[in-house]
Amino acid sequence: MAISERPEQKPQQKPQQKPQQKQKSPLPPPRDDSAVRAWLFVREAFTAGTWRRVAYALLAFPLGVLCVPLALLGAPTGRWRRGLVRRLLGRELSGSSRSSRGLAHATAAVPLNLLVLAVTVYGWSLVPMNLGWPLRSAGSDYSDAWGGPTFAGAWAFHAIVGGFGFLLLMPWLGRALAAVQLRLAAALLS
C-alpha cells in the first residue's frame, strides 16, 4: 500500500483583533427600588401631609354644617371653605366671593364630609385601641380571642393586624378621601 503524501498545510493565521473597548449599554441597569417604595409606604403615617388631611377630615363636617345657615344669611362661606382647602390640603382654588357657591358646596359636601369624618375617626381610633388591646380586655378569657388561646398570641395579633395594619392603611385611605373632597371643592368653589 502506498502512503499518500499530503501537502504541508500552513497554520491558519488569526486576524488581529483590536483591543475590545467596553461598550456602554444604552440604558443603565434597572435599580431595585423596592426598599425605597416600602419606606415611602411605611413613613406616610408620620408625614405632616397626612395629619393635615386628618385635620381637614375632622374640620370639614362641622364647618360645613355651620356654613349652611351662615351662607343663607349672606356670609362669605365660600371664601372660608377655600381658605380651609388651601391651608390644610395645599390647593389654591380661585373663585368668586359669591355666597351661592359657598351654599352649594356646604349643602353638597355635608353628606360626604360626614362619611369622611366617620371613616377617619373610626379608622384612626383602631390604631391605639388595638395596640393597647390588653388594657381593654384585661382579665377575660383569651381562648376565643383572635390570635388566642394565649395572652401573648392575642396581643400580638391585635397589635400587628389591628394596630400596625391600620397605622399603615389609614394615611392612604385618608389621601383617597381627601382627593374626593378636593374634587368636590374644586368643582363647586372654583
Side-chain angles (χ1 to χ4, degrees):
M1 240 197 228
I3 297 179
S4 63
E5 292 185 25
R6 292 187 189 167
E8 285 187 33
Q9 295 180 353
K10 294 182 180 179
Q12 292 181 349
Q13 292 182 353
K14 293 182 180 177
Q16 290 184 354
Q17 294 179 351
K18 294 181 182 178
Q20 288 186 350
Q21 296 176 353
K22 286 186 178 179
Q23 292 186 1
K24 294 181 181 178
S25 65
L27 298 174
R31 289 184 352 180
D32 183 21
D33 59 350
S34 58
V36 173
R37 289 183 189 183
W39 174 247
L40 291 176
F41 180 78
V42 170
R43 82 178 187 107
E44 184 65 25
F46 307 103
T47 62
T50 295
W51 295 106
R52 282 194 301 269
R53 286 188 291 275
V54 169
Y56 185 81
L58 295 177
L59 294 174
F61 177 70
L63 185 63
V65 170
L66 182 66
C67 282
V68 171
L70 291 176
L72 289 172
L73 296 174
T77 58
R79 188 176 71 209
W80 298 343
R81 298 303 293 243
R82 282 191 302 275
L84 187 67
V85 167
R86 180 182 60 252
R87 179 81 176 168
L88 295 177
L89 297 182
R91 173 103 180 259
E92 185 70 37
L93 299 177
S94 61
S96 66
S97 60
R98 294 190 344 226
S99 108
S100 63
R101 287 189 180 264
L103 177 63
H105 180 261
T107 55
V110 165
L112 174 64
N113 291 339
L114 178 62
L115 175 69
V116 170
L117 176 70
V119 169
T120 301
V121 168
Y122 180 71
W124 280 109
S125 69
L126 286 175
V127 174
M129 184 171 56
N130 282 307
L131 288 175
W133 180 80
L135 300 175
R136 66 182 173 101
S137 63
S140 63
D141 182 25
Y142 307 115
S143 60
D144 295 4
W146 290 357
T150 65
F151 174 76
W155 189 6
F157 181 84
H158 282 84
I160 291 169
V161 174
F164 293 121
F166 276 92
L167 182 66
L168 297 175
L169 173 71
M170 284 309 297
W172 297 99
L173 186 59
R175 182 178 282 218
L177 293 172
V180 173
Q181 288 177 310
L182 187 59
R183 279 187 115 169
L184 182 65
L188 295 176
L189 293 175
S190 294

